[in-house]
Amino acid sequence: MNALVRILSLPACYLSRLPGCGPLVRACSTSVGQKILMAITGLSLCGFLVAHLAGNLKLFAGEQDFNQYAAMLHSLGPALAAAETGLFVVFVAHLGLALSTTAMSRAARTQAYEVMESKQGVFALPQGGASGWMLVTGAVVLVFLVCHLIDLRLKVNPFVDYRPAVAAGAAGSAGGHVNEFLAVRQVLTSSPSRYIYLLGLVALGIHLAHGVQSALQTLGISHRRWNPLFRLISLLFAWGIAVGFISLIAWAHAVNR
Amino acid sequence: MSGELLNLTLRVWRQAGPAASGGFRDYQLRGVSTHMSFLEMLDVLNEQLHQAGEEPVAFDHDCREGLCGSCSLMINGQAHGPERGTTTCQLHMRRFRDGDTIVIEPWRATAFPVLRDLVVDRSAFDRIIQSGGYVSVNTGNAPDGNAIPVPGHLQELAMDAAACIGCGACVAACKNASAMLFVSAKVSQLAILPQGRPERNARVVRMVAQMDQEGFGSCTNTSECEAACPAEISVSNIARLNREYLRASMTAEF
Ligand code: FES
């Protein structure tokens, strides 16, 4: 893990050599700085999730609307490529920082306790609630993301039958492109994809349930009067996103009947 | 008024020195009064060990009034035992039942090496304070007490942060062995007050740097520290530390 952390910190090393970037890299490299970056990257990824869910809810509007939306995205060309690259950088940074801060914490206690008992009362999950599961749920989301890209970005999942989507696309219903609407429906109803997606989305919900409120605290956004509301908003946001995407899987099953 | 008497099994971490490898030893203790404090119970154990010609169990303690922060025991997996807002010295045996097995361990953190048995070296905290947990004042005549007005609610906030006794329970209870609650209390108690403002930027940057250098873990906002803290320091201080750090990194001149 330490070797991985060192590789992932290489961009920061090179960045610090750029004129003007030294102080920034130094401020961001302490434990607190890394956590602040974690929070900023995490919230940016949440922004992407909102846009992605909003776009995909067009599935409910029907084939034509969704394909129009897909065609609009494709027509952005280089702008879309730039956004995807940005997203990739933010994602890798979030992951690298997670490994780096975890390595710090592992090194901070090398001898485990014989007995460890929380004083915080009951949690929905063992190990101190969602915050004890960030690395695990993060890893599940990563696997889900890789599968998702294979399924719908590259469209090379051997377990998915893409032929109807390709045929419909060639027949001109989507301007020569693959018919994205049909492709999404095929993927969401195929095994094992649908199970991986379901698991990935539940993990995402748990991850965000702690992640969003933790990010606010890390950015110093905390007030005795408002904290309960922040917590509520974080939970609603987390499960809103997760349930929103899960509803698409449910929809795909309903229409394929 | 005679309380109940308890028969207990104690599983105590024994370690001869910093470099020695330690292990658990079981001891039977009979007739422990429920009126005893936890440390008095350990005194009885040590008396028993002494009479049997064995080495007594080393543990840290000083005031036994919940003020100094010396006492530091992990009791059944909880820092300072099961009572909230209570130090080990203020914990009473009436919290335990007859026949209980009590597991007693030292704080576990790389930055707090075990010196002997249940005693750890907490000088890492001292070095963090030395790095910035102070205000610089001119010596000479005592200044007028009311020369600098401080609003009442800020006094309260600063006093709440200043309640930290530096015992290390936050580090001990944190799954990351992070010292954020301690450092945030020490940063907050000064940053809130006018007297602490001139040095606030340098203070937070230096104290965070020292905290990292001592090898504490990184905060995941799990809030276990707040639950374990005998002085009930709030994690809102951690948010303040983060704000101070952000502000200092972006604006500081020092
Ligand atoms: S001995 Fe001083 S606080 Fe417990």
Side-chain angles (χ1 to χ4, degrees):
Chain A
M1 182 150 135
N2 282 333
L4 199 58
V5 170
R6 214 157 302 144
I7 294 168
L8 283 163
S9 69
L10 277 180
C13 292
Y14 291 123
L15 193 65
S16 67
R17 303 227 181 101
L18 277 184
C21 291
L24 176 70
V25 172
R26 236 172 295 131
C28 292
S29 58
T30 63
S31 60
V32 177
Q34 289 192 25
K35 279 297 173 176
I36 290 173
L37 272 189
M38 234 9 229
I40 294 173
T41 51
L43 290 181
S44 320
L45 292 170
C46 285
F48 161 72
L49 284 175
V50 171
H52 192 51
L53 178 61
N56 278 307
L57 286 177
K58 281 214 162 27
L59 283 168
F60 286 120
E63 184 168 350
Q64 207 182 354
D65 275 2
F66 185 77
N67 281 337
Q68 251 168 21
Y69 166 69
M72 189 273 287
L73 280 186
H74 285 305
S75 71
L76 291 177
L80 185 68
E84 280 181 335
T85 313
L87 207 54
F88 179 75
V89 169
V90 170
F91 191 85
V92 171
H94 192 72
L95 197 144
L97 290 162
L99 291 182
S100 157
T101 50
T102 305
M104 218 184 272
S105 299
R106 293 263 159 94
R109 179 172 296 134
T110 44
Q111 167 129 34
Y113 286 107
E114 175 87 352
V115 196
M116 187 69 154
E117 191 84 43
S118 173
K119 248 184 193 174
Q120 288 192 82
V122 270
F123 290 106
L125 285 171
Q127 308 295 324
S131 76
W133 293 87
M134 295 307 273
L135 206 63
V136 177
T137 51
V140 173
V141 170
L142 175 65
V143 171
F144 162 46
L145 180 67
V146 170
C147 293
H148 188 41
L149 290 176
I150 291 172
D151 285 354
L152 282 164
R153 183 74 175 78
L154 306 174
K155 298 193 179 65
V156 291
N157 185 346
F159 297 104
V160 176
D161 182 9
Y162 293 103
R163 279 168 307 183
V166 175
S173 71
H177 279 296
V178 174
N179 186 321
E180 296 288 351
F181 180 84
L182 292 181
V184 170
R185 222 175 63 185
Q186 287 300 106
V187 167
L188 289 186
T189 49
S190 72
S191 294
S193 282
R194 53 182 169 170
Y195 298 115
I196 295 172
Y197 285 25
L198 206 57
L199 188 71
L201 288 168
V202 171
L204 182 66
I206 297 171
H207 197 78
L208 294 183
H210 175 70
V212 176
Q213 51 181 312
S214 176
L216 293 179
Q217 161 88 352
T218 299
L219 293 175
I221 304 169
S222 154
H223 191 286
R224 223 179 314 180
R225 190 184 301 147
W226 300 111
N227 281 351
L229 182 66
F230 291 158
R231 215 159 298 144
L232 182 69
I233 291 175
S234 303
L235 287 179
L236 287 180
F237 177 83
W239 291 108
I241 292 282
V243 171
F245 280 116
I246 289 172
S247 75
L248 300 176
I249 303 177
W251 162 85
H253 275 265
V255 294
N256 246 31
R257 264 290 132 84
Chain B
M1 194 181 85
S2 74
E4 197 193 338
L5 295 182
L6 309 176
N7 296 325
L8 301 169
T9 305
L10 304 178
R11 291 206 70 194
V12 184
W13 181 262
R14 301 302 310 261
Q15 184 173 334
S21 66
F24 283 98
R25 282 278 310 271
D26 284 6
Y27 301 101
Q28 303 296 331
L29 209 54
R30 312 192 66 79
V32 174
S33 158
T34 49
H35 297 315
M36 279 183 190
S37 76
F38 200 84
L39 296 187
E40 283 166 343
M41 183 274 295
L42 286 181
D43 291 338
V44 173
L45 170 71
N46 278 345
E47 190 66 31
Q48 186 178 305
L49 289 177
H50 182 71
Q51 269 163 16
E54 284 185 56
E55 271 297 316
V57 177
F59 60 89
D60 246 342
H61 62 107
D62 189 12
C63 71
R64 298 206 177 194
E65 290 184 23
L67 299 172
C68 71
S70 301
C71 53
S72 52
L73 298 177
M74 205 70 175
I75 300 164
N76 285 339
Q78 294 184 318
H80 294 296
E83 199 97 60
R84 268 192 176 238
T86 304
T87 53
T88 298
C89 59
Q90 296 285 292
L91 176 69
H92 283 81
M93 295 313 293
R94 63 183 75 98
R95 282 295 308 222
F96 299 90
R97 295 274 148 268
D98 189 36
D100 274 0
T101 297
I102 306 176
V103 182
I104 311 172
E105 295 175 75
W107 288 169
R108 298 262 185 230
T110 312
F112 289 161
V114 174
L115 295 177
R116 187 191 178 103
D117 296 337
L118 303 171
V119 179
V120 299
D121 177 1
R122 279 172 289 183
S123 52
F125 271 9
D126 299 338
R127 289 187 290 274
I128 293 177
I129 296 292
Q130 282 161 13
S131 72
Y134 51 79
V135 289
S136 305
V137 287
N138 286 325
T139 54
N141 283 346
D144 178 353
N146 294 321
I148 307 170
V150 183
H153 71 284
L154 293 187
Q155 292 176 22
E156 291 286 335
L157 268 185
M159 279 306 289
D160 285 349
C164 168
I165 52 176
C167 64
C170 45
V171 175
C174 174
K175 69 183 170 71
N176 309 309
S178 164
M180 282 290 272
L181 193 66
F182 168 76
V183 177
S184 72
K186 298 303 178 191
V187 164
S188 292
Q189 65 182 8
L190 300 175
I192 292 168
L193 297 176
Q195 291 87 342
R197 297 245 152 171
E199 288 159 303
R200 71 194 285 196
N201 289 328
R203 176 183 305 120
V204 65
V205 170
R206 292 202 188 120
M207 289 178 83
V208 166
Q210 189 65 36
M211 169 179 85
D212 288 354
Q213 202 185 318
E214 297 292 346
F216 290 105
S218 90
C219 177
T220 51
N221 297 323
T222 304
S223 299
E224 193 61 39
C225 51
E226 184 184 85
C229 177
E232 304 190 297
I233 303 290
S234 158
V235 291
S236 63
N237 288 299
I238 296 182
R240 184 177 296 101
L241 167 68
N242 293 332
R243 283 200 295 276
E244 289 287 314
Y245 184 84
L246 262 173
R247 184 197 134 92
S249 344
M250 289 197 289
T251 66
E253 306 265 359
F254 57 85

